[in-house]
Amino acid sequence: MTGIKIETDKCTGCKLCISACPFGAITIKNMKAEILNNCTLCGACSSSCKFDALQFENEKLQVDNDITEYKGVWVFAEQKNGIPVSVVLELLGQGRKLAEQLQVPLSAVLLGENVEDAAKTLITYGADVVYLVDSPVLKHYNDEAYTDVFIQIINKYKPEIILIGGTTYGRSLAPRISSRLNTGLTADCTGLEIDKDKRLLLQTRPAFGGNIMATIVCPNQRPQMSTVRPKVMKSLEPDASRVGEIIKTDVTIPSNVKTKVTKMVSAINEKINLLEADVIVSAGRGIEDPQNMKIIEELAEVLGGAVGASRAIVDSGWIGYNHQIGQTGKVVSPKIYFACGISGAIQHLAGMSSSDVIIAVNKNPDAPIFKIANFGIVGDVLEVVPLLVKEFKSRIS
Ligand SMILES: Cc1cc2nc3c(=O)[nH]c(=O)nc-3n(C[C@H](O)[C@H](O)[C@H](O)COP(=O)(O)OP(=O)(O)OC[C@H]3O[C@@H](n4cnc5c(N)ncnc54)[C@H](O)[C@@H]3O)c2cc1C
Ligand code: SF4
Ligand code: SF4
């Protein structure tokens, strides 16, 4: 167990550590620092004490596996109707760079039914090897079956790195695998690099509400696991001349899966997948009336984009939850994000601030959304959006 201790004979009560703690977990009593129960052991205060009074105790971690046995970079090849989803191709692009630095093969793990064509696609996008398991049980994503089969393949071939798309399925699969294997998982990485000497994956992601970037390593366990959101990494150009190996992997298909997918239903109105859209037009409470959603839909349609929403209008029932962007909704990073009548609350920004270009329309010039917008239009959304539709229509035609 890791712990933090104050050496009271060294502590002068100078309070330097208090300002270093982002959680307000240090107080001073009787001129001595005291750690409160809400300490998360984040370590941010570790170097703040000039008097060496703050001591971190790290019990040596128990290493469950011989990490030198683990070699190779893997990508989970999530597929929909036999076609790899876009983030898989992006992860193969990044995976190639990591594999080349480590001088190991890049492999994809493909689970499904009748998906061999997808295996060939994965090779054209950079995979050297595709571990394929073809079974009716794996036709649709299923937590229990996918986790079970994936773990069998990991235990057999022992990869050192596994990259998984930060999609709905990927976010469910990755923690199941990491907890079953007792290994580390870093979610929503925005940068992946290699420390070649230590063969460590340097996993960078925003922390503390996006205020700092943290680089996280998993030194004692293997595989090292990361999830990455769609559109963060770049895919390679497909190369039809690439050759690779498709290994039909021998695993035990679970026979008593407790849940079964009986029917797949496409979300109503979700013409374009929000996570993959290049353009998103989002509406907030500033549109004033659910009837006005039609101008937002029109702008999205003219730009070939998808419709997003703030939680305020989802909670009001103006649009379905599957459109919500933010901390408790979807996290998107399109090329262009329109925020129409959205104030820019931190919880909304958590879902869209990595968009390439943000265009905000708001009648309040002091709205926080303007602080992160690349282009701001101060005006009534009900007037500005129809003008944009008209202008884009005339230019596009
Ligand atoms: C735990 C937690 C999780 C949350 N998760 C999310 C989340 O995932 N996503 C999310 O969005 N929110 C989330 N929220 C809610 C968030 O805090 C805000 O309440 C919400 O984002 C506000 O939505 P809004 O910007 O549409 O509405 P408001 O904050 O009410 O803003 C409306 C904006 O429209 C402008 N406006 C009004 N009329 C017009 C007009 N005619 N023309 C132009 N502008 C106009 C106003 O100036 C204002 O800036 C969460 C909150 C909590 C506590
Ligand atoms: S910084 Fe060190 S000496 Fe100062 S109050 Fe904190 S623990 Fe005590
Ligand atoms: S470890 Fe983190 S949470 Fe705990 S006292 Fe130090 S800074 Fe605060």
Side-chain angles (χ1 to χ4, degrees):
M1 182 68 184
T2 304
I4 176 173
K5 197 174 95 181
I6 305 287
E7 303 244 342
T8 45
D9 50 334
K10 292 183 183 166
C11 177
T12 63
C14 73
K15 299 186 181 171
L16 273 177
C17 52
I18 291 184
S19 49
C21 175
F23 298 100
I26 310 180
T27 187
I28 301 287
K29 268 197 192 153
N30 302 326
M31 292 294 287
K32 301 287 175 196
E34 203 174 290
I35 306 295
L36 302 175
N37 286 340
N38 60 331
C39 168
T40 63
L41 294 173
C42 70
C45 61
S46 62
S47 55
S48 63
C49 180
K50 292 181 181 161
F51 304 95
D52 209 19
L54 271 174
Q55 298 292 334
F56 276 81
E57 297 162 333
N58 283 313
E59 193 178 285
K60 203 166 168 17
L61 279 172
Q62 194 188 333
V63 178
D64 291 345
N65 50 19
D66 177 2
I67 63 173
T68 59
E69 286 178 2
Y70 287 72
K71 290 275 151 41
V73 177
W74 283 17
V75 170
F76 168 54
E78 178 180 336
Q79 47 83 20
K80 193 172 174 193
N81 301 325
I83 298 168
V85 298
S86 61
V87 68
V88 171
L89 311 180
E90 293 156 18
L91 292 181
L92 286 173
Q94 183 66 21
R96 266 256 57 88
K97 292 184 204 155
L98 306 178
E100 278 163 18
Q101 286 184 63
L102 290 166
Q103 299 183 315
V104 292
L106 171 65
S107 308
V109 175
L110 177 61
L111 313 181
E113 188 187 25
N114 298 328
V115 287
E116 195 150 344
D117 282 350
K120 292 175 192 147
T121 307
L122 297 170
I123 291 169
T124 65
Y125 276 90
D128 300 309
V129 177
V130 178
Y131 295 106
L132 171 65
V133 183
D134 205 299
S135 162
V137 176
L138 303 171
K139 178 172 181 179
H140 298 299
Y141 176 81
N142 175 297
D143 279 328
E144 196 181 340
Y146 269 56
T147 307
D148 189 302
V149 169
F150 209 132
I151 285 176
Q152 290 182 57
I153 311 174
I154 293 170
N155 287 336
K156 192 165 180 177
Y157 296 101
K158 299 188 186 306
E160 60 198 303
I161 290 173
I162 303 179
L163 309 180
I164 296 182
T167 60
T168 307
Y169 294 155
R171 282 165 187 250
S172 186
L173 178 68
R176 286 165 200 276
I177 295 175
S178 70
S179 62
R180 289 261 295 268
L181 296 177
N182 194 24
T183 191
L185 166 67
T186 306
D188 293 337
C189 295
T190 52
L192 295 171
E193 303 285 336
I194 292 290
D195 176 336
K196 269 209 276 199
D197 295 337
K198 296 183 183 150
R199 296 188 78 83
L200 279 178
L201 180 63
L202 308 176
Q203 306 160 92
T204 302
R205 57 151 296 154
F208 295 115
N211 291 323
I212 59 165
M213 297 302 280
T215 297
I216 296 162
V217 290
C218 174
N220 297 312
Q221 301 288 61
R222 292 291 180 274
Q224 305 163 85
M225 293 183 61
S226 313
T227 62
V228 179
R229 294 172 191 166
K231 296 197 175 282
V232 173
M233 306 290 173
K234 295 266 174 283
S235 61
L236 300 171
E237 285 301 315
D239 176 356
S241 67
R242 284 197 89 255
V243 282
E245 190 184 0
I246 299 174
I247 299 178
K248 292 190 176 160
T249 316
D250 190 16
V251 292
T252 307
I253 302 291
S255 54
N256 285 324
V257 179
K258 292 183 207 74
T259 53
K260 287 203 172 29
V261 178
T262 53
K263 196 168 155 195
M264 296 289 277
V265 184
S266 299
I268 302 159
N269 293 336
E270 193 163 322
K271 292 179 193 145
I272 297 168
N273 183 342
L274 262 179
L275 296 177
E276 298 185 3
D278 282 338
V279 178
I280 294 177
V281 183
S282 282
R285 204 164 5 218
I287 65 160
E288 293 176 4
D289 187 296
Q291 294 293 330
N292 296 327
M293 273 310 293
K294 60 180 181 294
I295 61 169
I296 302 295
E297 285 162 4
E298 211 178 340
L299 181 56
E301 192 169 338
V302 84
L303 296 171
V307 174
S310 73
R311 178 164 151 178
I313 67 163
V314 169
D315 285 350
S316 304
W318 296 3
I319 190 167
Y321 169 71
N322 55 331
H323 292 267
Q324 184 180 316
I325 310 271
Q327 186 183 315
T328 42
K330 289 193 170 112
V331 176
V332 295
S333 35
K335 290 188 178 140
I336 306 177
Y337 187 90
F338 284 87
C340 305
I342 293 178
S343 58
I346 185 91
Q347 295 90 352
H348 188 79
L349 304 189
M352 45 62 77
S353 57
S354 62
S355 307
D356 290 351
V357 174
I358 297 168
I359 302 170
V361 185
N362 197 303
K363 68 179 181 187
N364 174 7
D366 297 322
I369 192 75
F370 287 131
K371 291 202 179 107
I372 65 149
N374 302 83
F375 299 99
I377 303 171
V378 178
D380 187 334
V381 80
L382 304 178
E383 289 169 14
V384 174
V385 171
L387 286 174
L388 289 173
V389 171
K390 196 171 158 212
E391 191 62 27
F392 282 126
K393 266 189 183 163
S394 73
R395 287 179 186 233
I396 291 167
S397 65

